[in-house]
Amino acid sequence: MSVRTVAPGVLSVGAIDWDRRLFDDLIPLPEGTSYNAFLVRGSEKTALIDAVDTSMEMALMTNLFRAAADRIDYIVVNHAEQDHSGMVPLLLEMYAGATVVTNKVCRDLLVAFHGIPEERIKVVGDRETLSLGDKTLEFLITPWVHWPDTMLTFLREERVLFSCDLFGAHLATSDLFLRDRFEWYRLAKRYYGEIMMPFRNSIKGYLEKVRGLNPAIICPSHGPLYDEPEVVLAAYDDWISDEVKNEVVIAYASMHGSTRAMVDHLVNALIDRGVRVRQFHLPSTDLGDLALALVDPATIVIAAPTVLFGPHPVAVTAAYLANALKPKARFATVMTSYGWGGKTVDTLKGMLGQLKVEFLEPVQVKGFPSSEAQEAIAALADAIRDRHAASAADWVGPA
Ligand code: FEO
Protein backbone atom coordinates (compact mmCIF):
# COMPACT_ATOMS: atom_id res chain seq x y z
CA MET A 1 0.00 0.00 0.00
CA SER A 2 1.18 3.52 -0.48
CA VAL A 3 0.28 7.09 0.29
CA ARG A 4 0.56 9.41 -2.67
CA THR A 5 0.03 13.11 -3.26
CA VAL A 6 -2.91 14.00 -5.48
CA ALA A 7 -2.72 17.79 -5.06
CA PRO A 8 -1.39 20.16 -2.39
CA GLY A 9 -2.93 18.99 0.90
CA VAL A 10 -4.63 16.00 -0.72
CA LEU A 11 -3.32 12.46 -0.17
CA SER A 12 -4.51 9.21 -1.69
CA VAL A 13 -4.92 6.72 1.18
CA GLY A 14 -7.16 4.07 -0.40
CA ALA A 15 -6.50 0.47 -1.37
CA ILE A 16 -5.82 -1.46 -4.56
CA ASP A 17 -7.61 -4.81 -4.70
CA TRP A 18 -5.64 -6.74 -7.28
CA ASP A 19 -7.29 -10.08 -6.58
CA ARG A 20 -11.03 -9.45 -6.37
CA ARG A 21 -12.84 -11.14 -9.22
CA LEU A 22 -16.53 -10.63 -8.39
CA PHE A 23 -18.50 -7.66 -7.09
CA ASP A 24 -21.95 -7.89 -5.50
CA ASP A 25 -21.80 -11.63 -6.26
CA LEU A 26 -22.76 -10.48 -9.75
CA ILE A 27 -20.25 -8.34 -11.63
CA PRO A 28 -17.05 -10.02 -12.82
CA LEU A 29 -13.90 -7.97 -12.20
CA PRO A 30 -11.37 -9.26 -14.75
CA GLU A 31 -8.79 -6.65 -13.71
CA GLY A 32 -9.60 -6.28 -10.00
CA THR A 33 -10.56 -2.87 -8.63
CA SER A 34 -9.56 -0.21 -6.13
CA TYR A 35 -11.34 1.55 -3.29
CA ASN A 36 -9.96 5.05 -3.40
CA ALA A 37 -10.02 7.28 -0.33
CA PHE A 38 -8.50 10.70 0.21
CA LEU A 39 -7.18 12.70 3.12
CA VAL A 40 -7.68 16.46 2.75
CA ARG A 41 -5.75 18.60 5.18
CA GLY A 42 -6.81 22.20 5.71
CA SER A 43 -5.15 24.69 8.03
CA GLU A 44 -7.74 23.94 10.75
CA LYS A 45 -9.50 20.68 9.98
CA THR A 46 -8.78 17.39 8.29
CA ALA A 47 -11.31 15.40 6.25
CA LEU A 48 -11.24 11.83 5.00
CA ILE A 49 -13.25 11.44 1.81
CA ASP A 50 -14.71 7.96 1.42
CA ALA A 51 -13.61 4.92 3.37
CA VAL A 52 -12.75 1.59 1.84
CA ASP A 53 -14.29 -1.87 1.74
CA THR A 54 -13.89 -3.80 5.01
CA SER A 55 -11.73 -6.38 3.22
CA MET A 56 -9.09 -3.63 2.91
CA GLU A 57 -9.06 -2.58 6.55
CA MET A 58 -5.35 -3.18 6.99
CA ALA A 59 -4.49 -1.18 3.87
CA LEU A 60 -6.46 1.85 5.02
CA MET A 61 -5.09 1.68 8.55
CA THR A 62 -1.54 1.39 7.26
CA ASN A 63 -2.00 4.32 4.94
CA LEU A 64 -3.52 6.52 7.64
CA PHE A 65 -0.59 5.64 9.90
CA ARG A 66 1.92 6.47 7.16
CA ALA A 67 0.08 9.71 6.47
CA ALA A 68 0.37 10.56 10.18
CA ALA A 69 -3.37 11.04 10.33
CA ASP A 70 -3.52 11.37 14.09
CA ARG A 71 -6.62 13.49 13.78
CA ILE A 72 -9.61 13.31 11.44
CA ASP A 73 -12.38 15.84 11.99
CA TYR A 74 -14.72 14.86 9.18
CA ILE A 75 -15.42 11.63 7.35
CA VAL A 76 -17.18 12.61 4.14
CA VAL A 77 -19.35 9.77 2.84
CA ASN A 78 -20.36 10.41 -0.75
CA HIS A 79 -22.30 7.14 -1.02
CA ALA A 80 -23.34 4.50 1.52
CA GLU A 81 -22.57 1.34 -0.44
CA GLN A 82 -20.35 -0.76 1.74
CA ASP A 83 -17.30 -0.69 -0.52
CA HIS A 84 -16.99 2.99 0.45
CA SER A 85 -18.59 3.10 3.86
CA GLY A 86 -17.51 -0.25 5.30
CA MET A 87 -14.75 1.18 7.43
CA VAL A 88 -16.73 4.12 8.81
CA PRO A 89 -17.79 2.44 12.07
CA LEU A 90 -14.20 1.54 12.98
CA LEU A 91 -12.97 4.99 11.95
CA LEU A 92 -15.52 6.57 14.27
CA GLU A 93 -14.13 4.45 17.10
CA MET A 94 -10.54 5.38 16.24
CA TYR A 95 -11.23 9.08 15.78
CA ALA A 96 -13.54 9.88 18.66
CA GLY A 97 -13.92 13.50 17.60
CA ALA A 98 -14.81 12.75 13.99
CA THR A 99 -18.15 13.64 12.44
CA VAL A 100 -19.61 11.91 9.40
CA VAL A 101 -20.62 14.41 6.71
CA THR A 102 -23.18 13.30 4.19
CA ASN A 103 -26.63 14.01 2.76
CA LYS A 104 -29.96 13.01 4.28
CA VAL A 105 -30.62 9.94 2.13
CA CYS A 106 -27.11 8.63 2.70
CA ARG A 107 -27.42 9.29 6.43
CA ASP A 108 -30.49 7.06 6.64
CA LEU A 109 -28.66 4.28 4.80
CA LEU A 110 -25.57 4.59 7.02
CA VAL A 111 -27.79 4.25 10.08
CA ALA A 112 -29.53 1.22 8.54
CA PHE A 113 -26.35 -0.51 7.34
CA HIS A 114 -23.94 0.26 10.14
CA GLY A 115 -25.96 1.52 13.08
CA ILE A 116 -24.00 4.77 13.08
CA PRO A 117 -25.43 7.11 15.75
CA GLU A 118 -27.29 9.99 14.12
CA GLU A 119 -25.68 12.46 16.48
CA ARG A 120 -22.34 11.72 14.85
CA ILE A 121 -23.66 12.59 11.39
CA LYS A 122 -23.79 16.10 9.96
CA VAL A 123 -26.28 16.39 7.08
CA VAL A 124 -25.41 18.73 4.22
CA GLY A 125 -27.49 19.97 1.31
CA ASP A 126 -26.80 20.71 -2.33
CA ARG A 127 -24.05 23.34 -2.79
CA GLU A 128 -23.48 23.57 0.95
CA THR A 129 -19.87 24.14 1.97
CA LEU A 130 -17.66 22.99 4.81
CA SER A 131 -14.55 24.93 5.79
CA LEU A 132 -11.33 23.15 6.68
CA GLY A 133 -9.61 26.50 7.27
CA ASP A 134 -7.75 27.38 4.11
CA LYS A 135 -9.62 24.72 2.16
CA THR A 136 -13.31 24.49 1.35
CA LEU A 137 -15.38 21.45 0.52
CA GLU A 138 -18.53 21.97 -1.54
CA PHE A 139 -21.15 19.23 -1.84
CA LEU A 140 -23.26 18.50 -4.90
CA ILE A 141 -26.23 16.24 -4.33
CA THR A 142 -26.42 13.93 -7.34
CA PRO A 143 -28.96 11.18 -6.73
CA TRP A 144 -28.96 8.03 -8.84
CA VAL A 145 -25.36 7.62 -9.86
CA HIS A 146 -26.07 4.88 -9.02
CA TRP A 147 -27.98 4.91 -5.72
CA PRO A 148 -30.42 7.55 -4.47
CA ASP A 149 -27.89 8.70 -1.85
CA THR A 150 -24.99 9.76 -4.02
CA MET A 151 -23.21 13.10 -3.86
CA LEU A 152 -20.01 14.62 -5.18
CA THR A 153 -17.51 16.62 -3.13
CA PHE A 154 -15.50 19.46 -4.66
CA LEU A 155 -12.37 20.92 -3.12
CA ARG A 156 -12.64 24.48 -4.36
CA GLU A 157 -9.12 25.79 -3.84
CA GLU A 158 -7.39 22.92 -5.66
CA ARG A 159 -10.33 22.24 -8.03
CA VAL A 160 -10.37 18.57 -7.15
CA LEU A 161 -13.67 16.72 -7.62
CA PHE A 162 -14.25 13.57 -5.58
CA SER A 163 -16.88 11.76 -7.65
CA CYS A 164 -17.16 8.42 -5.82
CA ASP A 165 -18.63 5.80 -8.20
CA LEU A 166 -19.28 8.26 -11.03
CA PHE A 167 -16.50 8.12 -13.65
CA GLY A 168 -15.00 5.03 -11.99
CA ALA A 169 -13.49 1.91 -13.52
CA HIS A 170 -12.99 -1.48 -11.95
CA LEU A 171 -9.25 -1.55 -12.57
CA ALA A 172 -6.43 -2.37 -10.19
CA THR A 173 -3.46 -0.32 -11.30
CA SER A 174 -0.35 1.17 -9.76
CA ASP A 175 -0.92 4.33 -11.82
CA LEU A 176 -2.35 7.02 -9.55
CA PHE A 177 -3.49 9.01 -12.60
CA LEU A 178 -4.78 7.54 -15.83
CA ARG A 179 -1.85 6.74 -18.09
CA ASP A 180 -2.84 3.67 -20.14
CA ARG A 181 -5.92 4.94 -21.96
CA PHE A 182 -6.17 1.83 -24.10
CA GLU A 183 -6.44 -0.45 -21.07
CA TRP A 184 -8.76 1.96 -19.26
CA TYR A 185 -11.27 2.71 -22.00
CA ARG A 186 -12.81 -0.74 -22.23
CA LEU A 187 -12.94 -1.19 -18.46
CA ALA A 188 -14.44 2.26 -17.89
CA LYS A 189 -17.05 1.68 -20.57
CA ARG A 190 -17.81 -1.74 -19.10
CA TYR A 191 -18.23 -0.10 -15.67
CA TYR A 192 -20.54 2.49 -17.21
CA GLY A 193 -22.60 -0.26 -18.85
CA GLU A 194 -22.84 -2.32 -15.67
CA ILE A 195 -23.48 0.44 -13.17
CA MET A 196 -24.27 3.84 -14.65
CA MET A 197 -26.19 3.13 -17.87
CA PRO A 198 -29.65 2.94 -16.22
CA PHE A 199 -29.10 6.52 -15.04
CA ARG A 200 -28.05 7.96 -18.39
CA ASN A 201 -30.55 10.79 -18.27
CA SER A 202 -29.56 11.88 -14.76
CA ILE A 203 -25.91 11.86 -15.74
CA LYS A 204 -26.56 14.27 -18.62
CA GLY A 205 -27.42 17.00 -16.11
CA TYR A 206 -24.56 16.10 -13.80
CA LEU A 207 -22.01 16.36 -16.61
CA GLU A 208 -23.04 19.98 -17.10
CA LYS A 209 -22.65 20.60 -13.38
CA VAL A 210 -19.23 18.96 -13.35
CA ARG A 211 -18.01 20.98 -16.32
CA GLY A 212 -19.32 24.10 -14.60
CA LEU A 213 -16.90 23.40 -11.75
CA ASN A 214 -13.97 23.26 -14.18
CA PRO A 215 -12.16 20.59 -12.16
CA ALA A 216 -8.42 20.22 -12.57
CA ILE A 217 -8.54 16.66 -11.22
CA ILE A 218 -11.38 14.15 -10.93
CA CYS A 219 -10.97 11.46 -8.28
CA PRO A 220 -13.42 8.59 -8.61
CA SER A 221 -13.44 5.91 -5.92
CA HIS A 222 -12.60 3.06 -8.32
CA GLY A 223 -9.69 2.97 -10.74
CA PRO A 224 -7.26 5.68 -11.81
CA LEU A 225 -7.71 9.41 -11.18
CA TYR A 226 -7.97 11.90 -14.02
CA ASP A 227 -5.57 14.82 -14.29
CA GLU A 228 -7.02 15.43 -17.75
CA PRO A 229 -10.73 15.33 -16.84
CA GLU A 230 -11.87 15.88 -20.40
CA VAL A 231 -10.78 12.33 -21.25
CA VAL A 232 -13.45 10.77 -19.08
CA LEU A 233 -16.00 13.57 -19.64
CA ALA A 234 -15.78 13.16 -23.41
CA ALA A 235 -16.17 9.39 -23.10
CA TYR A 236 -19.31 9.91 -21.01
CA ASP A 237 -20.62 12.42 -23.57
CA ASP A 238 -20.51 9.61 -26.11
CA TRP A 239 -21.93 6.86 -23.91
CA ILE A 240 -24.87 8.88 -22.57
CA SER A 241 -25.73 10.53 -25.89
CA ASP A 242 -28.97 9.61 -27.64
CA GLU A 243 -27.04 8.43 -30.68
CA VAL A 244 -27.20 4.69 -31.36
CA LYS A 245 -24.78 2.81 -33.56
CA ASN A 246 -25.43 0.75 -36.69
CA GLU A 247 -24.88 -2.40 -34.68
CA VAL A 248 -26.87 -5.42 -33.49
CA VAL A 249 -26.13 -7.34 -30.32
CA ILE A 250 -27.33 -10.92 -30.54
CA ALA A 251 -27.43 -12.79 -27.24
CA TYR A 252 -28.22 -16.43 -27.76
CA ALA A 253 -28.31 -19.97 -26.45
CA SER A 254 -28.96 -23.17 -28.36
CA MET A 255 -29.68 -26.70 -27.16
CA HIS A 256 -29.36 -28.80 -30.30
CA GLY A 257 -28.23 -26.32 -32.95
CA SER A 258 -31.54 -24.99 -34.32
CA THR A 259 -31.39 -21.61 -32.62
CA ARG A 260 -27.69 -21.42 -33.43
CA ALA A 261 -28.54 -21.96 -37.12
CA MET A 262 -31.04 -19.10 -36.93
CA VAL A 263 -28.38 -16.89 -35.39
CA ASP A 264 -25.91 -17.84 -38.13
CA HIS A 265 -28.43 -16.88 -40.80
CA LEU A 266 -29.15 -13.55 -39.14
CA VAL A 267 -25.49 -12.70 -38.56
CA ASN A 268 -24.61 -13.43 -42.18
CA ALA A 269 -27.63 -11.54 -43.48
CA LEU A 270 -26.74 -8.50 -41.38
CA ILE A 271 -23.11 -8.55 -42.48
CA ASP A 272 -24.29 -8.73 -46.10
CA ARG A 273 -26.39 -5.64 -45.44
CA GLY A 274 -23.59 -3.60 -43.89
CA VAL A 275 -24.76 -3.89 -40.30
CA ARG A 276 -22.19 -4.44 -37.55
CA VAL A 277 -22.92 -7.49 -35.37
CA ARG A 278 -21.76 -8.70 -31.99
CA GLN A 279 -22.74 -12.25 -31.07
CA PHE A 280 -22.74 -13.52 -27.47
CA HIS A 281 -23.16 -17.17 -26.48
CA LEU A 282 -24.97 -16.68 -23.20
CA PRO A 283 -23.87 -19.83 -21.33
CA SER A 284 -20.23 -18.77 -21.73
CA THR A 285 -20.56 -14.98 -21.76
CA ASP A 286 -19.15 -12.73 -19.07
CA LEU A 287 -22.08 -10.54 -18.03
CA GLY A 288 -19.80 -7.51 -17.85
CA ASP A 289 -18.89 -7.98 -21.52
CA LEU A 290 -22.58 -8.15 -22.37
CA ALA A 291 -23.29 -4.98 -20.38
CA LEU A 292 -20.46 -3.21 -22.20
CA ALA A 293 -21.84 -4.37 -25.55
CA LEU A 294 -25.28 -2.97 -24.74
CA VAL A 295 -24.02 0.63 -24.50
CA ASP A 296 -24.10 1.46 -28.21
CA PRO A 297 -26.22 -0.78 -30.46
CA ALA A 298 -29.41 0.28 -32.18
CA THR A 299 -30.86 -3.23 -32.00
CA ILE A 300 -30.88 -6.07 -29.48
CA VAL A 301 -31.85 -9.61 -30.47
CA ILE A 302 -32.37 -12.38 -27.96
CA ALA A 303 -32.34 -15.82 -29.51
CA ALA A 304 -33.16 -18.84 -27.38
CA PRO A 305 -34.71 -22.26 -27.66
CA THR A 306 -37.99 -22.98 -25.96
CA VAL A 307 -37.46 -25.16 -22.88
CA LEU A 308 -40.66 -26.92 -21.87
CA PHE A 309 -43.06 -23.97 -22.39
CA GLY A 310 -40.86 -20.88 -22.12
CA PRO A 311 -37.46 -19.39 -22.83
CA HIS A 312 -34.17 -21.04 -21.97
CA PRO A 313 -33.21 -19.75 -18.48
CA VAL A 314 -30.01 -18.06 -19.68
CA ALA A 315 -32.12 -15.97 -22.05
CA VAL A 316 -34.32 -14.99 -19.11
CA THR A 317 -31.21 -13.74 -17.32
CA ALA A 318 -30.09 -11.78 -20.39
CA ALA A 319 -33.53 -10.22 -20.84
CA TYR A 320 -33.69 -9.29 -17.17
CA LEU A 321 -30.24 -7.72 -17.37
CA ALA A 322 -31.01 -5.77 -20.55
CA ASN A 323 -34.27 -4.53 -19.09
CA ALA A 324 -32.60 -3.43 -15.84
CA LEU A 325 -29.67 -1.69 -17.55
CA LYS A 326 -31.98 0.25 -19.88
CA PRO A 327 -29.67 0.65 -22.87
CA LYS A 328 -30.60 3.26 -25.46
CA ALA A 329 -31.33 0.69 -28.19
CA ARG A 330 -34.31 1.57 -30.38
CA PHE A 331 -35.22 -1.84 -31.75
CA ALA A 332 -35.47 -5.35 -30.32
CA THR A 333 -36.77 -8.75 -31.23
CA VAL A 334 -36.71 -12.41 -30.29
CA MET A 335 -35.91 -15.55 -32.23
CA THR A 336 -36.79 -19.00 -30.94
CA SER A 337 -36.87 -22.60 -31.99
CA TYR A 338 -39.44 -24.87 -30.36
CA GLY A 339 -40.62 -28.45 -30.46
CA TRP A 340 -44.23 -28.27 -29.37
CA GLY A 341 -45.13 -24.64 -28.83
CA GLY A 342 -44.69 -22.40 -25.82
CA LYS A 343 -44.60 -18.74 -24.87
CA THR A 344 -40.95 -17.85 -25.38
CA VAL A 345 -41.59 -14.77 -27.50
CA ASP A 346 -44.29 -13.33 -25.25
CA THR A 347 -42.29 -14.05 -22.10
CA LEU A 348 -39.09 -12.42 -23.33
CA LYS A 349 -40.93 -9.49 -24.90
CA GLY A 350 -42.75 -8.95 -21.62
CA MET A 351 -39.46 -8.90 -19.76
CA LEU A 352 -38.13 -6.01 -21.86
CA GLY A 353 -40.88 -3.60 -20.87
CA GLN A 354 -38.53 -0.87 -19.65
CA LEU A 355 -36.82 -0.51 -23.01
CA LYS A 356 -38.08 2.23 -25.27
CA VAL A 357 -37.88 0.06 -28.36
CA GLU A 358 -39.92 -0.86 -31.37
CA PHE A 359 -40.35 -4.62 -31.38
CA LEU A 360 -39.56 -6.02 -34.78
CA GLU A 361 -41.34 -9.11 -36.09
CA PRO A 362 -40.04 -12.10 -34.10
CA VAL A 363 -38.97 -15.31 -35.78
CA GLN A 364 -40.39 -18.56 -34.37
CA VAL A 365 -39.38 -21.87 -35.91
CA LYS A 366 -40.59 -25.38 -35.21
CA GLY A 367 -37.43 -27.45 -35.22
CA PHE A 368 -34.55 -26.59 -37.55
CA PRO A 369 -34.92 -23.41 -39.65
CA SER A 370 -36.47 -24.27 -43.02
CA SER A 371 -36.07 -22.19 -46.19
CA GLU A 372 -39.25 -20.40 -45.16
CA ALA A 373 -37.68 -19.56 -41.80
CA GLN A 374 -34.55 -18.34 -43.55
CA GLU A 375 -36.70 -15.97 -45.59
CA ALA A 376 -38.25 -14.65 -42.37
CA ILE A 377 -34.74 -14.07 -40.99
CA ALA A 378 -33.72 -12.28 -44.18
CA ALA A 379 -36.80 -10.08 -43.85
CA LEU A 380 -35.78 -9.30 -40.27
CA ALA A 381 -32.31 -8.33 -41.49
CA ASP A 382 -33.91 -6.07 -44.12
CA ALA A 383 -36.04 -4.40 -41.45
CA ILE A 384 -33.01 -3.83 -39.23
CA ARG A 385 -30.95 -2.41 -42.10
CA ASP A 386 -33.73 -0.03 -43.12
CA ARG A 387 -34.36 1.22 -39.60
CA HIS A 388 -30.66 1.68 -38.90
CA ALA A 389 -30.25 3.59 -42.15
CA ALA A 390 -32.84 6.04 -40.88
CA SER A 391 -31.67 6.42 -37.30
CA ALA A 392 -28.28 4.90 -36.45
CA ALA A 393 -24.75 6.21 -36.81
CA ASP A 394 -21.78 4.35 -38.22
CA TRP A 395 -19.66 2.75 -35.56
CA VAL A 396 -16.56 4.75 -34.66
CA GLY A 397 -14.21 3.65 -31.90
CA PRO A 398 -12.60 5.87 -29.27
CA ALA A 399 -10.31 8.61 -30.50
FE1 FEO B 1 -18.48 1.55 -5.44
FE2 FEO B 1 -21.86 1.93 -5.42
O1 FEO B 1 -20.21 1.39 -4.77
Side-chain angles (χ1 to χ4, degrees):
M1 295 303 136
S2 63
V3 175
R4 290 177 285 183
T5 299
V6 175
V10 182
L11 297 176
S12 167
V13 293
I16 304 169
D17 193 340
W18 300 94
D19 300 330
R20 190 165 181 176
R21 285 294 174 269
L22 195 62
F23 196 89
D24 289 346
D25 268 357
L26 175 66
I27 300 171
L29 303 178
E31 300 293 339
T33 191
S34 66
Y35 317 102
N36 303 336
F38 306 93
L39 199 65
V40 182
R41 283 195 168 111
S43 57
E44 294 175 17
K45 304 284 186 184
T46 297
L48 177 70
I49 298 183
D50 290 338
V52 305
D53 190 89
T54 49
S55 63
M56 289 286 142
E57 174 181 333
M58 184 57 75
L60 179 65
M61 294 305 139
T62 303
N63 285 347
L64 291 175
F65 175 77
R66 288 182 177 162
D70 52 357
R71 181 179 137 183
I72 290 177
D73 301 288
Y74 303 115
I75 302 168
V76 176
V77 180
N78 282 326
H79 168 39
E81 192 164 6
Q82 289 87 337
D83 53 321
H84 310 289
S85 70
M87 290 304 301
V88 172
L90 182 60
L91 288 166
L92 287 176
E93 282 188 47
M94 290 173 56
Y95 297 97
T99 298
V100 171
V101 178
T102 191
N103 62 81
K104 184 175 178 308
V105 179
C106 191
R107 174 198 64 189
D108 293 347
L109 290 174
L110 290 175
V111 171
F113 292 163
H114 301 300
I116 294 173
E118 286 196 39
E119 58 270 21
R120 294 202 65 181
I121 303 176
K122 173 182 170 61
V123 170
V124 293
D126 191 37
R127 296 289 183 171
E128 199 169 318
T129 59
L130 180 70
S131 174
L132 305 179
D134 61 351
K135 291 188 175 10
T136 312
L137 299 178
E138 178 180 357
F139 307 101
L140 289 83
I141 309 299
T142 51
W144 296 114
V145 287
H146 61 127
W147 280 18
D149 64 330
T150 40
M151 69 181 197
L152 317 179
T153 298
F154 185 57
L155 173 58
R156 281 181 174 174
E157 289 76 9
E158 308 299 337
R159 293 174 30 233
V160 178
L161 179 68
F162 303 97
S163 62
C164 199
D165 279 336
L166 184 61
F167 307 130
H170 284 311
L171 167 60
T173 171
S174 61
D175 294 335
L176 180 62
F177 292 101
L178 174 61
R179 291 295 174 261
D180 186 342
R181 291 190 193 182
F182 181 77
E183 174 189 54
W184 163 83
Y185 184 87
R186 185 175 165 81
L187 291 164
K189 187 173 181 179
R190 175 184 168 112
Y191 177 99
Y192 166 82
E194 293 163 335
I195 297 166
M196 295 296 164
M197 187 158 62
F199 311 105
R200 191 169 68 89
N201 289 326
S202 299
I203 294 171
K204 285 180 182 174
Y206 299 150
L207 279 189
E208 272 184 44
K209 278 191 180 184
V210 167
R211 282 200 167 95
L213 297 170
N214 188 27
I217 296 172
I218 293 180
C219 301
S221 292
H222 298 291
L225 318 183
Y226 307 100
D227 52 4
E228 296 178 69
E230 198 51 37
V231 173
V232 69
L233 295 176
Y236 267 71
D237 283 341
D238 179 28
W239 303 335
I240 68 168
S241 77
D242 293 332
E243 181 183 276
V244 290
K245 300 294 196 300
N246 178 25
E247 181 178 83
V248 178
V249 163
I250 303 176
Y252 86 99
S254 188
M255 292 164 67
H256 297 289
S258 298
T259 308
R260 171 62 197 249
M262 297 169 75
V263 168
D264 287 345
H265 286 304
L266 182 60
V267 168
N268 292 333
L270 290 169
I271 291 172
D272 288 347
R273 288 160 178 76
V275 178
R276 193 167 193 266
V277 186
R278 299 195 65 192
Q279 176 181 317
F280 292 89
H281 179 233
L282 288 169
S284 57
T285 290
D286 175 317
L287 288 181
D289 285 342
L290 185 58
L292 189 165
L294 290 174
V295 172
D296 294 322
T299 299
I300 299 168
V301 176
I302 298 179
T306 296
V307 178
L308 297 177
F309 304 103
H312 191 291
V314 295
V316 172
T317 300
Y320 181 86
L321 184 75
N323 192 55
L325 295 180
K326 295 202 279 186
K328 58 190 174 185
R330 296 191 186 150
F331 312 102
T333 197
V334 171
M335 299 198 302
T336 187
S337 167
Y338 61 91
W340 53 86
K343 295 186 177 303
T344 294
V345 169
D346 289 344
T347 302
L348 291 176
K349 189 174 171 183
M351 291 185 68
L352 297 172
Q354 288 205 99
L355 303 191
K356 292 183 170 60
V357 292
E358 174 192 352
F359 274 94
L360 305 177
E361 185 66 29
V363 181
Q364 305 183 71
V365 172
K366 184 176 174 68
F368 201 79
S370 61
S371 57
E372 192 178 324
Q374 292 177 34
E375 285 173 19
I377 292 169
L380 173 60
D382 285 342
I384 291 171
R385 175 200 59 202
D386 293 347
R387 281 165 176 76
H388 285 202
S391 61
D394 282 337
W395 202 94
V396 179

